[in-house]
Amino acid sequence: MDFGSRSALGSVFIMFLGASVPAVSAEPAAQGELKRFKASETTGAMYVLRSTGCHKAGDTCQLELELSEGAGGKRKAKLPAGMAYGIQAASPESWTSGEEEQNVTTSVQPVRLEAGEWGLLVTQQGGFEHVHRHHRLYVVKDGGVTEAWNGDENFAGPESSHVGPYPLTPGSPVEGFFREYAFLSAEPDEWKLDTYRWDAAGRKVVKELRNRPARYAAIIGSFKTVQEAIASRDSAQLAQGCASGFLVLETTPHKRLTPGLFIVTSIHPEKKAAETALKKVGDCNPKVSGYVKAL
């Protein structure tokens, strides 16, 4: 299956990951300060997101994060991608500008790194046919803002990714964060979920291996070769594209799956959503059935 015929699947997967761009408001956001986000429960410090260096059409705006209580020499963090003049608010925590290949959308998600301290997960996505994303975590350090982690895509083809906070343990305010990633290929596809937490003692991001957010695989076939798996997915499609949201994955990297096989699957954060995906593909093509497996 060539990449051109996978464009619909890529769109479906991107929507599942939550990376679709919200509707844009009619009025451009004011140049300068875009929004403030809480940085500390104890000091009242705020992260300030600003656009700088653009005053007219044709200018490129640089986005920066600084602390509200920082003095002139305190560190500011520059976001990786610039944006066109006329930045518009797409949602309370998302901004967009430019068209087609020049489009850039910047989204911000606060994450509670410690009981009283916050970081900001920032995603910038741009492009038209192949949308690609920069992911960053920014934290407070030495009275300024610094980058503590990045999880950019490889910019190698049809790939998609999403980051977000999640509760580390029940009842605790402290959050971890994840990066969910898919690369669409035919040899086979790649999917992985990496999880992280803030190490308060070391003041750094570390991998979180125990407390991970749940993911469920809706599986409609298991095969010995990748070619058999791809052929099975193609035969399930019919004219309606019944399995257009399904990937072909190798089982070996996933400890809860039988190693050495290739499965046709779609991945979901809730078991009910995985069950719904199975029902949908079965209603579309009655010859297809499957089961749900926790990853």
Side-chain angles (χ1 to χ4, degrees), residues 109-114 118 121 164-178 193 195-198 208-215 269-270:
Q109 299 180 78
V111 53
R112 199 163 194 163
L113 303 175
E114 303 178 54
W118 295 78
L121 279 172
Y166 73 96
L168 277 174
T169 56
S172 171
V174 178
E175 296 176 309
F177 67 96
F178 65 84
L193 180 71
T195 53
Y196 305 88
R197 63 176 173 84
W198 180 246
E208 174 57 42
L209 302 177
R210 294 180 299 174
N211 302 304
R212 296 162 57 87
R215 290 295 184 269
E270 298 178 353

Side-chain angles (χ1 to χ4, degrees), residues 138-160:
Y138 295 102
V139 301
V140 175
K141 183 178 181 181
D142 300 330
V145 180
T146 191
E147 177 187 312
W149 172 88
N150 69 74
D152 292 353
E153 293 177 3
N154 296 321
F155 308 103
E159 54 189 343
S160 59

Side-chain angles (χ1 to χ4, degrees), residues 195-242:
T195 53
Y196 305 88
R197 63 176 173 84
W198 180 246
D199 176 8
R203 303 296 298 171
K204 62 182 179 180
V205 170
V206 296
K207 279 280 189 80
E208 174 57 42
L209 302 177
R210 294 180 299 174
N211 302 304
R212 296 162 57 87
R215 290 295 184 269
Y216 297 90
I219 301 172
I220 59 172
S222 179
F223 305 91
K224 292 183 177 180
T225 69
V226 65
Q227 291 81 9
E228 289 176 303
I230 293 170
S232 175
R233 180 182 58 193
D234 290 350
S235 68
Q237 298 278 25
L238 299 179
Q240 297 87 353
C242 299

Side-chain angles (χ1 to χ4, degrees), residues 11-293:
S11 299
V12 169
F13 196 80
I14 289 171
M15 289 180 68
F16 157 69
L17 291 177
S20 57
V21 179
V24 177
S25 64
E27 296 298 326
Q31 301 303 308
E33 184 174 316
L34 298 177
K35 188 168 180 178
R36 295 187 173 215
F37 299 85
K38 186 181 296 185
S40 172
E41 299 280 0
T42 55
T43 68
M46 306 284 286
Y47 294 104
V48 183
L49 179 64
R50 298 184 184 278
S51 60
T52 65
C54 57
H55 305 283
K56 62 184 185 303
D59 288 347
T60 298
C61 306
Q62 177 66 56
L63 268 60
E64 297 179 343
L65 276 170
E66 64 182 26
L67 275 188
S68 59
E69 60 183 21
K74 297 296 184 181
R75 180 173 31 244
K76 301 177 183 179
K78 287 188 176 182
L79 276 59
M83 300 181 72
Y85 176 82
I87 297 171
Q88 294 178 310
S91 76
E93 296 180 351
S94 181
W95 298 265
T96 189
S97 71
E99 297 179 355
E100 296 187 342
E101 292 294 342
Q102 284 69 49
N103 174 267
V104 175
T105 296
T106 298
S107 303
V108 180
Q109 299 180 78
V111 53
R112 199 163 194 163
L113 303 175
E114 303 178 54
E117 303 295 328
W118 295 78
L120 292 183
L121 279 172
V122 177
T123 294
Q124 289 190 290
Q125 67 177 48
F128 184 54
E129 291 187 354
H130 287 167
V131 177
H132 291 295
R133 298 155 195 85
H134 301 275
H135 303 296
R136 297 289 190 276
L137 175 71
Y138 295 102
V139 301
V140 175
K141 183 178 181 181
D142 300 330
V145 180
T146 191
E147 177 187 312
W149 172 88
N150 69 74
D152 292 353
E153 293 177 3
N154 296 321
F155 308 103
E159 54 189 343
S160 59
S161 61
H162 176 60
V163 297
Y166 73 96
L168 277 174
T169 56
S172 171
V174 178
E175 296 176 309
F177 67 96
F178 65 84
R179 176 182 183 264
E180 191 165 3
Y181 171 85
F183 181 82
L184 307 183
S185 173
E187 300 179 350
D189 299 319
E190 179 184 353
W191 176 89
K192 61 181 179 178
L193 180 71
D194 293 320
T195 53
Y196 305 88
R197 63 176 173 84
W198 180 246
D199 176 8
R203 303 296 298 171
K204 62 182 179 180
V205 170
V206 296
K207 279 280 189 80
E208 174 57 42
L209 302 177
R210 294 180 299 174
N211 302 304
R212 296 162 57 87
R215 290 295 184 269
Y216 297 90
I219 301 172
I220 59 172
S222 179
F223 305 91
K224 292 183 177 180
T225 69
V226 65
Q227 291 81 9
E228 289 176 303
I230 293 170
S232 175
R233 180 182 58 193
D234 290 350
S235 68
Q237 298 278 25
L238 299 179
Q240 297 87 353
C242 299
S244 62
F246 282 70
L247 307 170
V248 171
L249 298 181
E250 186 177 3
T251 59
T252 301
H254 306 287
K255 294 181 180 180
R256 295 185 177 184
L257 301 179
T258 302
L261 299 173
F262 297 89
I263 57 172
V264 182
T265 183
S266 62
I267 313 297
H268 304 268
E270 298 178 353
K271 185 177 182 179
K272 185 175 181 179
E275 292 170 344
T276 299
L278 287 181
K279 184 178 185 304
K280 185 176 179 179
V281 72
D283 290 344
C284 180
N285 185 345
K287 294 182 179 180
V288 177
S289 61
Y291 58 96
V292 172
K293 183 80 173 180

